[in-house]
């Protein structure tokens, strides 16, 4: 059996780490797991640039070790957490989320082959779980965006909130007229303005349409 570590995180400096810390300590004590240390961060879960987590992941955890986490959302956001779990699976590190009962199964009573099989199942289950959460969150976000856009269009406000322009119509017209008089080529102007192909030719169509009115 490898070593047991804990990871605990709250999103801001004002929040208290004590509740998560105690739940890790209680779980390990009740199950007879020798807890080495709990690593803690007071930082948002939007990314993984957290000092204590980086030390734990890169310098401490080894194959066969177990990482105990109070709640499944303490590790981070779903899409990124899925990648972290895939990393730990590859490294042979077991993850226990105290609010996901399946991850707390005691595998010490099984032989090595059976224990590894159960562990693989738990890891795959967790990865699938986070994949589902990530896709659900993305779909919910996209749905809200669509509903917001439709609501603004219904109020006639979308033109004020649509995709921001890279440059004003007047500035683009001034630059594009250099193409029309042969001072510069189309591709050269596109590169000069730093516009991608779709945006550049959308502005060209917009320019020609307005000149045709």
């Amino acid at each position: 059996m490898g070593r047991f570590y804990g990871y605990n995180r709250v999103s801001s400096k004002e929040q208290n780490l004590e509740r998560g810390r105690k739940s890790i300590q209680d779980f390990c004590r009740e199950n007879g797991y020798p807890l080495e240390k709990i690593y803690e961060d007071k930082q948002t879960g939007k990314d993984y640039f957290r000092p204590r987590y980086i030390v734990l992941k890169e310098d401490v955890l080894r194959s066969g070790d177990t990482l105990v986490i109070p709640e499944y959302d303490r590790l981070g956001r779903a899409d990124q957490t899925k990648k972290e779990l895939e990393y730990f699976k590859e490294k042979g590190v077991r993850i226990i989320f105290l609010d996901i009962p399946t991850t707390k199964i005691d595998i010490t009573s099984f032989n090595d082959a059976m224990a590894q099989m159960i562990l693989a199942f738990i890891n795959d289950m967790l990865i699938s779980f986070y994949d589902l959460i990530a896709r659900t969150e993305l779909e919910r976000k996209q749905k809200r965006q669509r509903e917001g856009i439709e609501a603004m269009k219904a109020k006639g406000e979308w033109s004020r909130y649509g995709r921001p322009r890279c440059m004003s119509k007047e500035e683009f017209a001034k630059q594009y007229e250099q193409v029309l008089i042969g001072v510069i080529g189309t591709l050269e102007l596109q590169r000069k303005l730093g516009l991608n192909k779709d945006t550049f030719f959308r502005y060209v169509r917009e320019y020609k349409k307005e000149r045709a009115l």
Side-chain angles (χ1 to χ4, degrees):
M1 182 188 297
R3 297 184 175 187
F4 284 77
Y5 297 92
Y7 179 69
N8 187 27
R9 180 187 65 81
V10 291
S11 299
S12 67
K13 293 181 179 179
E14 291 73 29
Q15 292 177 291
N16 196 317
L17 291 160
E18 182 58 33
R19 184 172 66 87
R21 183 186 305 141
K22 185 175 185 304
S23 64
I24 294 172
Q25 292 169 337
D26 289 348
F27 171 76
C28 289
R29 183 179 63 254
E30 291 165 5
N31 290 275
Y33 299 145
L35 180 63
E36 299 286 335
K37 185 175 181 179
I38 298 175
Y39 290 77
E40 298 178 315
D41 285 307
K42 285 192 171 185
Q43 197 167 332
T44 176
K46 69 179 181 179
D47 58 49
Y48 282 87
F49 298 109
R50 310 176 209 142
R52 303 306 293 160
Y53 178 77
I54 291 174
V55 169
L56 174 63
K57 175 183 174 181
E58 297 182 359
D59 299 331
V60 177
L61 290 169
R62 297 291 182 268
S63 178
D65 289 347
T66 298
L67 178 60
V68 182
I69 303 169
E71 298 170 332
Y72 76 84
D73 61 349
R74 293 300 85 196
L75 197 54
R77 295 184 178 178
D79 54 342
Q80 295 171 315
T81 296
K82 176 176 176 284
K83 296 177 182 177
E84 295 299 298
L85 291 173
E86 289 170 341
Y87 168 86
F88 287 129
K89 177 184 177 182
E90 181 182 342
K91 297 296 182 181
V93 175
R94 180 185 181 185
I95 305 296
I96 293 178
F97 291 108
L98 297 184
D99 58 346
I100 302 181
T102 312
T103 66
K104 298 190 289 182
I105 294 174
D106 183 6
I107 62 173
T108 57
S109 59
F110 298 97
N111 61 49
D112 288 345
M114 181 59 72
Q116 289 303 314
M117 188 182 302
I118 294 172
L119 229 92
F121 167 77
I122 293 172
N123 284 333
D124 290 340
M125 180 273 295
L126 280 175
I127 291 169
S128 297
F129 172 69
Y130 274 94
D131 183 55
L132 176 61
I133 292 177
R135 285 189 283 110
T136 301
E137 288 179 350
L138 178 60
E139 289 170 3
R140 185 183 296 118
K141 180 179 179 181
Q142 291 173 336
K143 181 175 181 289
R144 287 175 178 170
Q145 287 176 336
R146 289 194 301 269
E147 290 173 346
I149 290 171
E150 291 304 318
M152 284 188 285
K153 284 181 177 179
K155 295 178 182 178
E157 299 176 345
W158 176 240
S159 60
R160 288 189 291 160
Y161 296 96
R163 182 186 302 172
R165 296 182 63 89
C166 298
M167 62 192 307
S168 69
K169 293 181 180 181
E170 294 75 15
E171 179 60 25
F172 181 80
K174 179 180 177 182
Q175 296 289 338
Y176 186 67
E177 282 165 4
Q178 295 182 65
V179 174
L180 300 179
I181 62 177
V183 173
I184 191 173
T186 301
L187 183 58
E188 187 179 353
L189 179 62
Q190 179 190 333
R191 290 173 177 168
K192 176 185 174 184
L193 299 179
L195 301 174
N196 63 44
K197 183 178 178 181
D198 290 342
T199 300
F200 180 81
F201 284 103
R202 177 159 56 86
Y203 286 2
V204 170
R205 290 193 298 272
E206 183 181 73
Y207 171 89
K208 291 180 178 179
K209 182 179 179 180
E210 292 193 355
R211 294 301 182 276
L213 295 176

